[in-house]
Amino acid sequence: MELLPQFEHKFDMVFADPPYFLSNNGLSIQSGKIVSVNKGKWDKSEGFEYVNDFNRKWLTSVRDKMKDDATIWISGTMHNIFSIGQILTELDFKILNVITWEKNNPPPNFSCRFFTHSTEQIIWARKKEKVPHYFNYELMKQLNGDKQMKDVWKLPAIAPWEKSCGKHPTQKPLSVLTRLILASTKPNAWILDPFTGSSTTGIAANLANRRFLGIDQEEEFLTISKNRKIEIENPKTVAAYRQKIGGFNDKKELELFLFEEPSVEYLKELIL
């Protein structure tokens, strides 16, 4: 909210993983050990009105930096996703889908008094009601056995190789970010992540030949982001990572798609 008003650049797509506000001194299980659910001061809720006001402020700032045909993806759980949906409607976004990401290996239910939480939601919305958005329907169909892709995605959680430069407490897997980037952007698109953390969005964007800007308040996480960016400046690492990302039919599918994907310059020549 401090930095975005300082420049005029407009983005083709936004991915936001805002605070879920679930740091309530509760407990969970991780790798067989009891751990606190607290992530940091930035994730502590100060009440319903506080959460709504926060979401309204950052969404307003981000909306101003989106192109008219841009879309936004926002991840969340029951702790924040209802507020996000309400504010999106209030700000005249058009909600396109609510993706349910089903995790392959969620942490077990600690209290054994309700169903195990195994999903997160990702809202997909476009900026304007009547301005068409981009959707790579054919690729999504190809990734789903030549059938229309549904709004429930079974994708793996973070793999150890994704934490080679350090780990963010709410880090998302490259499989999820790569899929939504390929679904909703063209080559060289500009992607914004206003809660970038360790910049999984940026790594996925660069691996998919897209451009990226990330913002975060924590220098520790920006250092991890920088080191991850340096890591993929090595072409061999890029090739290896593209083969490791989950959600594809085989290891070569992503590389082949990117090789065959027409560049923006080529598409402009066809139009001319």
Side-chain angles (χ1 to χ4, degrees), residues 2-271:
E2 178 184 339
L3 294 179
L4 282 177
Q6 297 181 25
F7 57 87
E8 297 301 320
H9 192 74
K10 301 281 187 177
F11 294 87
D12 300 286
M13 192 205 95
V14 179
F15 173 79
D17 187 16
Y20 289 9
F21 298 111
L22 50 70
S23 292
N24 56 4
N25 299 318
L27 299 174
S28 182
I29 297 178
Q30 193 173 79
S31 302
K33 297 180 181 179
I34 298 175
V35 297
S36 170
V37 299
N38 291 354
K39 304 293 188 298
K41 290 182 179 179
W42 48 268
D43 192 49
K44 188 173 179 60
S45 175
E46 295 181 27
F48 180 75
E49 290 302 325
Y50 170 84
V51 172
N52 266 5
D53 185 56
F54 175 79
N55 287 330
R56 186 176 293 109
K57 284 179 178 178
W58 77 259
L59 274 167
T60 299
S61 296
V62 166
R63 192 178 199 279
D64 186 54
K65 300 305 175 187
M66 294 171 64
K67 294 180 181 178
D68 285 349
D69 62 349
T71 59
I72 182 169
W73 301 80
I74 309 166
S75 64
T77 60
M78 63 180 180
H79 303 84
N80 73 328
I81 206 70
F82 300 112
S83 170
I84 295 289
Q86 173 188 327
I87 304 302
L88 283 171
T89 303
E90 178 185 304
L91 296 178
D92 294 326
F93 285 89
K94 178 179 174 59
I95 295 177
L96 303 168
N97 280 115
V98 180
I99 302 297
T100 298
W101 167 37
E102 181 181 350
K103 302 175 184 179
N104 289 353
N105 189 27
N109 182 345
F110 182 73
S111 70
C112 302
R113 295 187 63 82
F114 43 77
F115 299 106
T116 299
H117 296 296
S118 63
T119 65
E120 290 188 29
Q121 281 67 51
I122 309 173
I123 297 179
W124 186 32
R126 71 185 187 200
K127 180 179 179 179
K128 297 207 170 187
E129 172 79 27
K130 296 184 179 179
V131 178
H133 62 283
Y134 174 75
F135 176 47
N136 196 332
Y137 169 83
E138 290 301 330
L139 175 62
M140 295 301 106
K141 185 177 178 182
Q142 175 184 320
L143 298 181
N144 193 47
D146 205 32
K147 298 178 182 178
Q148 287 189 340
M149 184 174 286
K150 298 178 181 178
D151 58 4
V152 177
W153 297 356
K154 294 183 179 181
L155 291 171
I158 309 167
W161 60 270
E162 297 183 57
K163 300 176 282 188
S164 59
C165 297
K167 185 178 181 295
H168 187 279
T170 62
Q171 185 172 331
K172 294 292 181 290
L174 280 167
S175 59
V176 172
L177 271 299
T178 301
R179 177 173 291 183
L180 61 86
I181 285 171
L182 293 179
S184 58
T185 64
K186 299 173 184 177
N188 297 320
W190 269 104
I191 297 169
L192 168 69
D193 189 334
F195 305 95
T196 197
S198 58
S199 294
T200 297
T201 307
I203 300 304
N206 288 174
L207 290 175
N209 299 329
R210 273 73 171 163
R211 294 173 289 183
F212 173 76
L213 179 85
I215 299 172
D216 204 274
Q217 293 184 348
E218 304 292 333
E219 187 173 351
E220 172 192 356
F221 301 142
L222 292 176
T223 298
I224 296 175
S225 298
K226 180 180 177 180
N227 291 334
R228 294 182 79 187
K229 170 64 174 174
I230 292 172
E231 190 177 54
I232 62 169
E233 288 177 358
N234 184 330
K236 291 184 178 179
T237 302
V238 169
Y241 281 7
R242 284 174 174 169
Q243 291 187 20
K244 289 180 178 181
I245 295 174
F248 294 89
N249 295 307
D250 58 64
K251 293 182 178 181
K252 298 288 187 178
E253 189 171 26
L254 173 57
E255 192 87 56
L256 181 61
F257 168 76
L258 294 173
F259 178 77
E260 295 178 342
E261 190 177 36
S263 67
V264 172
E265 288 72 21
Y266 175 71
L267 290 174
K268 285 180 179 178
E269 288 178 8
L270 287 179
I271 293 171

